[in-house]
Amino acid sequence: PNLLINGSSGIAVGMATNIPPHNLREIINACLALTDDPDCEIYDLMKHVPGPDFPTGGVLVDSREQIVEAYKTGRGSFRIRAKWEKEDLARGGYQIVVTEIPYQVNKATMVERIADLVKEKKIEGIGDLRDESDRDGYRVVIELKREAVPDVVLNQLYRFTPLQSTFGVNSLALNLGRPEQMGLRALLDAFLAFREEVVV
């Protein structure tokens, strides 16, 4: 079911779609669960598919109810935050190290945006900012001033920069040639019906 695994985004004839990518193993397990029990509900399917699987990582901060609603109806939004660690510095103080960023956020643009906000004094408490990323992954270091409170700086970063972003879900797909708003269950049903037709 590549539509769910790879995700999809596009606009045509006045209709738009925006489907997040998912984990292959989780989607296949949900297909198997649906094959074993055709009456299973969205909550049963979400035991296998707890949420999207974004390649850049990040943390989903929405409530379980919001995530279930998006999968039930095919419409909603996911709030994604960067993943970070707090590291102590040898001379005292802290630095925040960002290791994962929200989906579709450009790292260079994000670092530039943070630097601009520090220059404009919209974000206080940042002493140094550098990108130490390499082939092993993301590592954006935000060094804090000694008097800075890490939680306050993080909240400002979430508010003013792409360290927190929203992915709008609109699962519109062609089902038997007709555009249709489809939840997780409908997308899996369509895939299984297609597989059965192919095999027969």
Side-chain angles (χ1 to χ4, degrees):
N2 290 326
L3 189 63
L4 280 167
I5 293 159
N6 293 333
S8 182
S9 182
I11 302 170
V13 294
M15 288 182 272
T17 189
N18 206 26
I19 302 171
H22 292 81
N23 181 284
L24 172 62
R25 183 175 280 123
E26 291 172 358
I27 293 296
I28 295 303
N29 287 340
C31 287
L32 293 172
L34 198 51
T35 307
D36 292 341
D37 179 13
D39 297 325
C40 71
E41 299 290 324
I42 189 74
Y43 292 99
D44 302 318
L45 291 174
M46 288 190 67
K47 288 175 188 167
H48 304 285
V49 185
D53 186 11
F54 296 115
T56 54
V59 179
L60 214 59
V61 291
D62 291 310
S63 68
R64 188 80 183 137
E65 290 74 32
Q66 287 173 291
I67 297 168
V68 168
E69 191 60 27
Y71 277 115
K72 193 187 279 187
T73 62
R75 276 192 93 83
S77 65
F78 296 134
R79 263 182 318 149
I80 313 149
R81 280 188 179 169
K83 199 172 190 180
W84 57 273
E85 299 159 1
K86 192 171 83 171
E87 291 181 357
D88 295 323
L89 295 171
R91 60 191 179 280
Y94 305 105
Q95 64 184 20
I96 295 167
V97 179
V98 177
T99 55
E100 294 177 10
I101 60 174
Y103 186 52
Q104 295 176 328
V105 167
N106 182 299
K107 182 180 51 137
T109 307
M110 180 189 78
V111 171
E112 201 176 296
R113 175 82 178 129
I114 295 169
D116 289 344
L117 289 167
V118 171
K119 272 184 208 160
E120 293 165 15
K121 297 201 183 315
K122 281 194 176 170
I123 295 180
E124 303 276 333
I126 294 177
D128 191 21
L129 172 68
R130 57 191 181 277
D131 183 0
E132 296 178 355
S133 303
D134 56 19
R135 286 186 190 161
D136 296 331
Y138 292 103
R139 187 176 164 85
V140 175
V141 178
I142 302 166
E143 204 171 301
L144 303 181
K145 292 176 180 171
R146 278 182 192 224
E147 68 277 6
V149 180
D151 288 340
V152 172
V153 175
L154 272 167
N155 283 333
Q156 289 177 329
L157 287 168
Y158 289 143
R159 185 173 171 196
F160 296 121
T161 74
L163 279 179
Q164 176 174 295
S165 70
T166 305
F167 184 93
V169 178
N170 182 15
S171 296
L172 188 75
L174 291 176
N175 190 17
L176 302 174
R178 287 199 339 264
E180 198 178 310
Q181 189 85 47
M182 300 171 83
L184 178 65
R185 171 69 197 251
L187 286 162
L188 294 176
D189 280 337
F191 171 70
L192 290 172
F194 164 74
R195 283 300 300 153
E196 187 176 351
E197 187 183 334
V198 168
V199 170
V200 168

